[in-house]
Amino acid sequence: MAILDGTSGSPTRKKPSVGKWALYGAIGIILLAVPAIAQNPYQVHILNMAGIYILISLGLNIAMGFAGQFNLAMGPLWGVGAYTAAILNTRYGIPFWLNLPASMVVTGAIGALVGLPSLKVRSHYLAIVTIGLGEVINIILLNQEKLTGGALGIPKIAMPGFFGIPLNNDRRFYYLILVVVVLGYLLARQILGHRIGRSFRAVRDDFQAARAMGIDTTYYQVLAFAISAVYAGAAGALFAHLNTYISPDIFEFSSTLFVMTMTMVGGMGSLAGSVIGGLALPILQELLRVIKNWQLVVYGVAIMVVVLFVPGGVVEIARRLRESSANRKSRSSQSIAAAEQAEDSGVP
Amino acid sequence: MKSKVLTFIMAASIAMTAVGQVAPIKIGLIGAMSGTNAVLGDWMKKGVTLAIEQQNAAGGINGAKIQLIVYDDAANPTVSVGLAQKVATEDKVMAVWATTNSSSALADIPVFTQYKIPQLTNGTFDAITTQGSSYIFRVCPAGPAYEDPLVDYLVKKGNTKFAIIGDTSAYGQGEIAYQTAALTRNHLSPLDTEQYGIDDKDFTGQLTKIFRAQPDVLLLASSEVAGGLVARQARQLGFTGTIAGGSAMGTPKFIETAGADVAEGVYFTSPYPGNQANAKTRAFAAAYKARWGEDPEVHGANTYDGMKMLILAMERAKPLTPENVAAEMHKIKGYQGLQGTFDYDARGEGIKATNLGIIKNGQLTYLEK
Amino acid sequence: MFLEIENLTMQFGGLVAVNGFSLGVAEGTIQGLIGPNGSGKTTIFNVLSGYYKPSGGKITFKGKRISGLPSYRVTASGFARTFQNLRLFKSMTVLENVLVGMAQHAETGLLSAIFNPIAISHEEEYFHEKAMGLLKLLDIAEFADTLATSLPYGHQRRVEIARALGTDPKVLLLDEPAAGLNETESENLRKILLQIRELGVTICLVEHDMKLVMGICDRITVLDYGKKIAEGTSSEIAKDPVVIEAYLGQEDNS
Amino acid sequence: MNNTSIFIQTVIGGVGIGSLYALIALGYSMVYRSMGLVNFAHGSIYMVGTYFGIMWYAGLVMGLHVPYPIAFVIGVLLNGAFGVLLERILRPLAKLDLMFMLLGTIGLGYVLDNLFVIIFGAEGFAVRSPLPSMPLVILGVRIQPQMLLVIGVSAILMVALQLFLARTKTGKAMRASAMDRDIASAMGVRVNRMNALTLAIGSGLAAAAGILAAPIVYVNPAMGAAVGLKGFAAAILGGLGSIPGAIAGGLIFGVLEAISAGYISSAYTRGIAFIVVVVVLMVKPSGIVGEITVEKV
């Protein structure tokens, strides 16, 4: 660079403290022990589904929370991933380990196509375009009977094995999902911590200013869609091989809404939000089951309360709590709090 | 609504009193209790509950009362699989009803096969019994059993020009396939086959296209409500030929939706010969009406049949384990139910015959064979 | 010429915002662009930075045509701009804002982000240091980790300049950088701009602060109703009767 | 039947359903224009309005069978009043980003849908048409009488709305308020009251659509979802915020569906209609009648 080779400026990234590492360790041990702690496979099943939803939610979060791109085709894209894996497995006998990357590639490519209109239309117009393209995907899944089995879907998808160990029940499958989710999370952190993530946020915050900074917005918009679809594809392959049966009605617009709800309850624009929301919502549904017909009413009210009072979701509640305790400790160090707030970079 | 609440309280109190010295035998029921398919779940619950209550009143099974645990999957296969896990591993049921929706039933099969729990369904998709599971039991005939006799009869009456209209749901797509196959059996093919989405309400485009081919017979391949709407619009667009369909058209719901005038003369097939067919059905219909305040239809009847046979299998199973119950289910031969004679085979099919009926004066009436 | 604007015309429907405007800018100079409100200055900036496609005429930079290119490609060819009404990235710290502009010079892409975290962390550290250098130059290093939009207005202006410099420009387009600044801040800005010129960056300046414009611009172009009415050094402009009539005189009245 | 009359018959079916979409799209567009709110609960409001009218006609209230036209008026008025109530709930949502608006109003939709499931049951019921069921035959074209009623009443409502907005003092105040809230309030227009009125009209139109459609469709608490989405697509197709756009968008969407069902592929109908919307938006990113807004730098 021609201007000023920086000489003494120090990078300001923090290294996690010992306490944080201990916390990570504890969480890790609990995560590994879950199948043993769980009282029955059903509880593990709930967690497995939560893991699959977390993956989709991470993808949605990257596109919508970080890059500001309305991808409301996430449910149908999840279906593309699931169908890719299911077709490869039931027709050609290809095992899960090859289907996973294949689903990610196919879904990523279709996701990029779904993202192309984002170059022309914005906000609510983009919302209906992605909803519409999602519907088109779903209709294709429904009507290409020779390929997809039509409305009755595809049964008898084989569960994967791992070096001779069949992952043929929820407890065993749990570890597979855990590994993929952790990798997916770390990868998302890696991408978002990189200039790609900053470019995403720049595109979201101010489209024109981002272009003025030399950011090829076309590339980043389509990339955001593609990455979100890759996550949906991975989730689809896992789901197909866990469930062993898939049908088009699973991947309708309502599934997009479900993932969007969990992401926003957890915290849009925060990867931790995807994890929290992905765990919280299925568990909330379980708890609400006892009130039967009222559960969806309560659910709707809960969504409105979150949107109106804590638009940043659970992550924001946690941050507010942390901030208020920090403020009590030292009222003078407001700039530090502000810096911390910036570092967490939740919803502005 | 009030009656539903009351029902729930009664069912709950019955379940409570059942908890005596002997632990109750738990039966799971997964079905659509909300959403557009809620009526199917409701019918299943009514038929099953009636049979259970009668058995409990007669002393249960070797002194143990039967307890029904109901879950709502809103016809969503993902939710259904989760609930299947729940009833299998948390509630540890003896047997389970899951579900009327063929796609949910299919989704649940691997779970109940894994946990070796007998799964009863009244879904009609034929592939349900070809999944290689010995724990799945269908309590009604499979799809082709409805469409073959219907088409055979109409062809015998001299009709050759058929057209099919159905929805894109699992049920609709299945029916279209069976109707097409039934026509092929008779060396015919449909003049036109049209489909519509389950949310569609106007079928002018499809019907206008179909009527260009001037069919004599319009075969409906859809559920009660959509079938009724299509029949109504077909008549309003001037179709004067025959309208016919599978068991969905043999329901009061179809007559209500289509309107009695439109429903008049519609042919249907049903395994259930009707409430007034014989002493058995009359007794069932009376008990059902006394319990639920409405007349039973085919779904109430086939789930009642299925629950009766399940009770039989549970009484015979020694010791009483889900695995033994399934084995006993397979041994059921010559059981006389409301729908006719059941002989279970290795795949889990119990009955194949259906009755041909026609709607006359707003009533379901059956033709002599 | 280093930067050459030839016969530039910009129409919006029936409205002609810029009419046959030509200008040559020499390397390493500070070029001022003044004129009454609505005279077309910002429009010229918007064409220059690729936000609008011109209706007529062309712009060449070091002999290469840049008019008609999308704005990010214009930036990549060595232009950077600030915005009249601040447009900082609202979710980002001061440092991150500056880092955004550096992104285009990165060598690592998506694949390295996934498979080569070490290269990434080296590159990030390198950019951090550079960005901190820029923040020092603009005297806002202490706010590196503060949310940019939470800073006082004058500081935000400096962040905008630092962010633009982050793209490593040959030409810096500044749209009213002194707007809303007080006397001292304006004086600081003057010093900073001169320092930037020392680094070899050519500056194009749209500004209403006459003291600043007259004080630092090597050449000044005056616009009125989308047309160039005068051009020259600050002393020539100050004496030009046409300019006094059209612009300076007007200001006296207000 | 010759090809022309077949085509006309197909198109009339499309115009009928398209009129319903247009009435729904008007609700989206008017509320967006005045409050800046994209109200995804509008499909549920349509469902609620249908019940508000049809429950009197179908004997759900004390076994009453009120004549259809009276039930229609009662339903429209009740839903209009309900719209006023909704304005209070939706007001805070209008200030949020689209993402939050979307989820918040969908949450409201969940509440309404499921409250109605609890009150009326999920099963639903069929509604008798007040008109004779035999078709009208005009030059070989067969038309369902109820469809003709749908088209006729919808047309009257749309013209009435245009006249109201263009000619009356209140209508002009509503338009002023929609164009610039600050100026309107400076001129003494009570913006919140105008918004409430807008929601009342939008909800009333939705109720009208639902009550007109009830004898053709099947009434249940889930009936709003699909129509709500298609109505939104229609509003976007026409250009969100434009009243002629909403009407054009609705009719075009309905006719598109009918033609693709009748001539292209009935199974892919819904997909084809959405593809056309996407293609139109690629060419005209703010819809058919939408104004292009130039972003300020």
Side-chain angles (χ1 to χ4, degrees):
Chain A
M1 272 176 62
I3 312 171
L4 276 195
D5 270 41
T7 43
S8 61
S10 63
T12 50
R13 280 174 298 171
K14 291 179 196 162
K15 293 265 181 319
S17 63
V18 179
K20 258 193 175 166
W21 280 115
L23 184 67
Y24 292 157
I27 291 173
I29 290 166
I30 292 171
L31 284 175
L32 288 173
V34 157
I37 302 168
Q39 288 159 325
N40 55 53
Y42 175 60
Q43 293 176 348
V44 187
H45 179 79
I46 296 271
L47 282 178
N48 283 348
M49 283 310 297
I52 285 166
Y53 284 125
I54 288 171
L55 274 178
I56 312 173
S57 171
L58 285 172
L60 182 73
N61 220 329
I62 291 171
M64 216 153 143
F66 287 88
Q69 301 301 307
F70 261 82
N71 184 354
L72 295 183
M74 284 303 276
L77 285 170
W78 176 37
V80 170
Y83 270 89
T84 307
I87 291 167
L88 288 175
N89 181 266
T90 55
R91 292 210 166 187
Y92 306 104
I94 298 171
F96 168 79
W97 303 103
L98 294 173
N99 292 341
L100 178 68
S103 289
M104 288 162 75
V105 169
V106 170
T107 315
I110 292 180
L113 285 179
V114 170
L116 285 180
S118 70
L119 306 176
K120 273 279 197 180
V121 294
R122 305 267 174 77
S123 71
H124 32 269
Y125 290 90
L126 184 57
I128 196 69
V129 164
T130 54
I131 292 173
L133 290 176
E135 292 276 303
V136 171
I137 291 174
N138 212 275
I139 288 163
I140 292 171
L141 294 181
L142 185 63
N143 288 304
Q144 284 296 316
E145 286 176 56
K146 286 199 180 95
L147 187 66
T148 64
L152 285 154
I154 301 178
K156 287 185 176 173
I157 304 159
M159 291 186 97
F162 184 69
F163 291 110
I165 307 163
L167 305 180
N168 59 357
N169 61 43
D170 271 290
R171 286 184 206 267
R172 289 179 182 175
F173 211 95
Y174 169 85
Y175 291 102
L176 174 60
I177 288 183
L178 182 65
V179 169
V180 178
V181 170
V182 169
L183 281 179
Y185 183 87
L186 292 176
L187 208 65
R189 266 188 61 148
Q190 191 69 29
I191 293 171
L192 294 172
H194 182 237
R195 70 182 171 87
I196 294 174
R198 271 194 306 273
S199 301
F200 279 161
R201 284 161 60 204
V203 170
R204 174 194 68 189
D205 283 359
D206 191 326
F207 185 79
Q208 290 305 339
R211 282 171 79 88
M213 290 306 114
I215 290 173
D216 182 354
T217 48
T218 305
Y219 171 74
Y220 283 101
Q221 280 180 292
V222 175
L223 183 67
F225 273 93
I227 292 179
S228 66
V230 167
Y231 275 87
L238 281 171
F239 177 73
H241 284 271
L242 169 68
N243 220 38
T244 72
Y245 168 78
I246 56 170
S247 60
D249 44 0
I250 298 169
F251 310 108
E252 282 172 359
F253 180 52
S254 56
S255 62
T256 307
L257 281 184
F258 186 61
V259 174
M260 191 172 125
T261 307
M262 71 174 48
T263 313
M264 292 182 71
V265 166
M268 188 65 90
S270 154
L271 292 180
S274 282
V275 178
I276 294 167
L279 288 171
L281 237 64
I283 293 170
L284 181 73
Q285 278 191 325
E286 274 308 295
L287 296 178
L288 286 178
R289 206 182 288 289
V290 287
I291 55 171
K292 300 208 173 245
N293 278 329
W294 285 93
Q295 63 171 309
L296 284 168
V297 177
V298 174
Y299 187 63
V301 171
I303 289 174
M304 291 181 72
V305 168
V306 167
V307 166
L308 284 176
F309 300 107
V310 269
V314 177
V315 171
E316 184 173 297
I317 297 175
R319 194 176 65 207
R320 281 186 198 169
L321 290 176
R322 217 165 357 123
E323 258 168 48
S324 67
S325 72
N327 281 357
R328 251 176 279 130
K329 273 180 201 158
S330 59
R331 288 196 177 278
S332 58
S333 59
Q334 275 186 344
S335 64
I336 294 169
E340 250 174 26
Q341 182 183 346
E343 178 111 336
D344 290 343
S345 72
V347 167
Chain B
M1 207 47 231
K2 216 171 229 172
S3 72
K4 274 190 184 170
V5 175
L6 262 177
T7 312
F8 176 71
I9 293 169
M10 283 174 72
S13 55
I14 289 163
M16 299 284 268
T17 50
V19 184
Q21 51 279 75
V22 191
I25 298 166
K26 291 185 199 163
I27 304 291
L29 188 154
I30 301 169
M33 302 294 158
S34 62
T36 33
N37 286 305
V39 62
L40 297 173
D42 192 45
W43 281 332
M44 177 183 263
K45 195 170 78 183
K46 283 174 175 165
V48 169
T49 305
L50 181 63
I52 289 177
E53 285 174 3
Q54 289 177 345
Q55 188 66 23
N56 282 342
I61 293 177
N62 305 326
K65 304 282 182 188
I66 305 168
Q67 181 193 354
L68 187 68
I69 306 167
V70 178
Y71 291 106
D72 175 16
D73 72 356
N76 179 335
T78 319
V79 179
S80 203
V81 169
L83 293 171
Q85 292 270 1
K86 191 177 171 74
V87 293
T89 67
E90 204 169 278
D91 299 322
K92 298 198 165 51
V93 294
M94 186 60 63
V96 67
W97 283 89
T99 79
T100 310
N101 287 83
S102 290
S103 53
S104 292
L106 264 175
D108 294 346
I109 288 174
V111 178
F112 295 117
T113 310
Q114 184 191 347
Y115 292 104
K116 298 185 167 45
I117 293 170
Q119 175 191 358
L120 282 70
T121 177
N122 58 351
T124 56
F125 181 50
D126 56 359
I128 285 178
T129 53
T130 59
Q131 303 297 306
S133 168
S134 39
Y135 293 88
I136 182 78
F137 301 93
R138 197 200 306 271
V139 301
C140 58
Y146 299 83
E147 308 306 332
D148 287 347
L150 179 72
V151 170
D152 290 352
Y153 175 81
L154 292 168
V155 171
K156 212 190 288 172
K157 276 188 73 178
N159 296 296
T160 52
K161 292 157 81 179
F162 288 79
I164 301 173
I165 182 164
D167 61 46
T168 51
S169 73
Y171 183 70
Q173 284 191 352
E175 291 290 287
I176 290 173
Y178 308 139
Q179 287 171 352
T180 312
L183 287 169
T184 312
R185 258 162 57 108
N186 288 290
H187 311 290
L188 293 168
S189 60
L191 301 179
D192 189 11
T193 302
E194 294 296 326
Q195 285 181 277
Y196 52 87
I198 39 170
D199 294 324
D200 290 351
K201 301 298 178 200
D202 174 60
F203 316 100
T204 314
Q206 288 91 333
L207 289 169
T208 304
K209 190 175 172 200
I210 281 182
F211 299 151
R212 268 186 277 173
Q214 298 184 317
D216 304 326
V217 180
L218 182 64
L219 294 175
L220 306 179
S222 54
S223 60
E224 292 79 8
V225 168
L229 295 175
V230 172
R232 201 153 88 193
Q233 289 188 20
R235 288 286 185 239
Q236 288 182 343
L237 290 171
F239 180 67
T240 52
T242 306
I243 297 176
S247 65
M249 312 318 142
T251 56
K253 192 88 219 166
F254 171 79
I255 300 174
E256 182 209 318
T257 313
D261 50 340
V262 169
E264 192 68 17
V266 169
Y267 288 98
F268 62 90
T269 43
S270 174
Y272 182 55
N275 293 334
Q276 304 307 320
N278 52 48
K280 223 177 177 118
T281 60
R282 276 193 292 273
F284 161 72
Y288 190 98
K289 177 130 192 178
R291 178 68 179 84
W292 305 113
E294 63 187 48
D295 289 319
E297 46 58 75
V298 59
H299 294 83
N302 62 33
T303 48
Y304 181 82
D305 266 351
M307 194 60 222
K308 282 283 196 191
M309 287 185 282
L310 182 61
I311 287 167
L312 205 63
M314 289 194 291
E315 283 172 340
R316 288 175 183 167
K318 298 277 178 319
L320 184 56
T321 65
E323 219 173 329
N324 288 343
V325 172
E328 290 298 333
M329 281 295 290
H330 280 295
K331 286 182 204 155
I332 288 178
K333 303 282 182 231
Y335 173 83
Q336 292 296 318
L338 299 167
Q339 303 170 82
T341 310
F342 283 84
D343 299 292
Y344 272 100
D345 61 13
R347 283 165 53 199
E349 295 284 6
I351 189 166
K352 294 190 173 68
T354 56
N355 307 292
L356 191 64
I358 185 167
I359 297 168
K360 263 199 186 136
N361 303 321
Q363 297 294 321
L364 305 172
T365 47
Y366 288 85
L367 303 171
E368 295 300 320
K369 280 185 189 170
Chain C
M1 198 49 118
F2 187 63
L3 171 65
E4 187 81 57
I5 302 174
E6 287 170 73
N7 208 19
L8 185 75
T9 300
M10 189 70 219
Q11 273 178 291
F12 297 102
L15 182 81
V16 183
V18 179
N19 193 353
F21 178 77
S22 296
L23 177 68
V25 181
E27 186 165 12
T29 59
I30 298 183
Q31 168 72 48
L33 201 55
I34 61 171
N37 279 330
S39 59
K41 306 174 306 262
T42 297
T43 307
I44 290 173
F45 258 38
N46 283 340
V47 178
L48 262 175
S49 57
Y51 184 61
Y52 296 146
K53 282 192 172 66
S55 325
K58 67 170 182 176
I59 303 166
T60 48
F61 176 58
K62 292 202 280 189
K64 274 191 201 142
R65 187 188 177 120
I66 58 158
S67 49
L69 291 180
S71 53
Y72 70 90
R73 300 241 340 244
V74 174
T75 306
S77 64
F79 281 72
R81 69 170 294 175
T82 63
F83 293 91
Q84 189 178 330
N85 42 350
L86 299 169
R87 296 184 76 155
L88 291 170
F89 300 117
K90 58 179 188 275
S91 75
M92 297 189 199
T93 64
V94 169
L95 181 65
E96 283 175 315
N97 261 285
V98 178
L99 286 171
V100 165
M102 295 180 163
Q104 53 166 326
H105 298 292
E107 278 157 14
T108 62
L110 180 63
L111 289 180
S112 343
I114 298 167
F115 298 111
N116 196 352
I118 295 166
I120 292 299
S121 90
H122 282 305
E123 187 177 83
E124 286 284 306
E125 235 156 82
Y126 173 74
F127 283 142
H128 272 240
E129 285 191 15
K130 273 197 185 305
M132 287 307 293
L134 285 174
L135 294 183
K136 286 221 168 82
L137 173 73
L138 286 147
D139 201 20
I140 43 175
E142 58 183 305
F143 306 110
D145 290 336
T146 310
L147 209 57
T149 46
S150 70
L151 288 178
Y153 190 78
H155 287 69
Q156 290 196 42
R157 284 245 167 257
R158 290 195 221 166
V159 179
E160 276 242 341
I161 296 172
R163 184 177 70 169
L165 286 174
T167 67
D168 196 13
K170 306 283 183 298
V171 181
L172 181 62
L173 309 171
L174 299 175
D175 197 354
E176 298 195 26
L181 300 189
N182 63 33
E183 196 90 342
T184 356
E185 284 173 332
S186 187
E187 177 56 24
N188 282 337
L189 178 68
R190 196 182 72 87
K191 284 181 195 153
I192 290 167
L193 293 186
L194 291 174
Q195 264 182 290
I196 293 171
R197 184 176 63 177
E198 289 309 302
L199 296 166
V201 178
T202 310
I203 298 175
C204 287
L205 182 68
V206 164
E207 188 49 70
H208 280 298
D209 183 339
M210 279 307 140
K211 201 175 152 212
L212 180 71
V213 173
M214 294 300 181
I216 68 170
C217 288
D218 300 305
R219 287 188 75 77
I220 297 172
T221 302
V222 188
L223 273 172
D224 199 14
Y225 295 108
K227 281 192 156 172
K228 179 157 81 180
I229 55 169
E231 194 170 14
T233 61
S234 51
S235 50
E236 285 163 10
I237 292 295
K239 281 181 279 185
D240 193 321
V242 184
V243 177
I244 294 165
E245 170 62 29
Y247 184 48
L248 299 176
Q250 200 179 38
E251 201 167 54
D252 282 347
N253 293 342
S254 63
Chain D
M1 269 178 101
N2 60 32
N3 286 336
T4 320
S5 46
I6 287 169
F7 181 75
I8 292 171
Q9 186 169 307
T10 306
V11 169
I12 287 176
V15 169
I17 287 292
S19 311
L20 301 178
Y21 295 158
L23 290 176
I24 306 292
L26 279 171
Y28 279 105
S29 263
M30 289 181 67
V31 170
Y32 176 74
R33 207 170 66 139
S34 76
M35 297 175 79
L37 177 83
V38 183
N39 178 15
F40 284 93
H42 197 58
S44 304
I45 294 171
Y46 157 83
M47 176 276 295
V48 169
T50 311
Y51 270 92
F52 277 163
I54 290 300
M55 63 185 190
W56 306 97
Y57 174 66
L60 295 184
V61 187
M62 298 172 291
L64 281 176
H65 287 278
V66 173
Y68 184 79
I70 297 173
F72 179 86
V73 174
I74 296 175
V76 171
L77 292 178
L78 276 181
N79 216 36
F82 183 58
V84 174
L85 199 76
L86 283 178
E87 193 271 334
R88 290 292 318 183
I89 300 171
L90 293 173
R91 199 184 292 168
L93 284 171
K95 298 187 187 83
L96 303 175
D97 277 355
L98 178 65
M99 199 159 41
F100 298 105
M101 247 180 223
L102 187 92
L103 197 64
T105 51
I106 284 170
L108 176 64
Y110 274 146
V111 174
L112 293 177
D113 286 1
N114 291 290
L115 275 179
F116 272 64
V117 168
I118 292 166
I119 298 168
F120 292 101
E123 192 181 317
F125 52 89
V127 177
R128 290 273 72 81
S129 170
L131 300 174
S133 62
M134 279 307 105
L136 297 168
V137 187
I138 305 162
L139 300 171
V141 178
R142 291 168 185 278
I143 305 163
Q144 306 170 50
Q146 183 72 27
M147 204 56 111
L148 219 55
L149 186 72
V150 169
I151 296 171
V153 176
S154 305
I156 292 169
L157 288 173
M158 288 174 211
V159 171
L161 178 68
Q162 282 287 25
L163 288 177
F164 170 76
L165 290 177
R167 300 282 166 83
T168 65
K169 205 178 154 202
T170 321
K172 284 176 187 164
M174 278 176 72
R175 284 168 61 196
S177 161
M179 268 174 218
D180 194 317
R181 267 171 259 183
D182 296 336
I183 293 176
S185 62
M187 279 161 50
V189 176
R190 275 182 255 183
V191 174
N192 281 340
R193 186 176 283 192
M194 288 303 135
N195 288 344
L197 188 58
T198 309
L199 262 163
I201 294 174
S203 306
L205 291 174
I211 300 164
L212 285 169
I216 297 174
V217 307
Y218 179 86
V219 176
N220 69 2
M223 68 187 284
V227 176
L229 185 61
K230 288 175 183 176
F232 179 59
I236 290 281
L237 178 65
L240 195 57
S242 154
I243 289 186
I247 296 169
L251 293 175
I252 292 170
F253 202 86
V255 171
L256 258 175
E257 281 194 330
I259 288 181
S260 61
Y263 290 90
I264 309 170
S265 159
S266 51
Y268 287 91
T269 293
R270 200 162 38 128
I272 292 166
F274 272 113
I275 289 270
V276 172
V277 172
V278 172
V279 169
V280 168
L281 290 179
M282 290 298 97
V283 181
K284 290 209 71 180
S286 43
I288 296 170
V289 193
E291 310 106 60
I292 307 280
T293 47
V294 177
E295 207 180 328
K296 286 248 182 178
V297 179

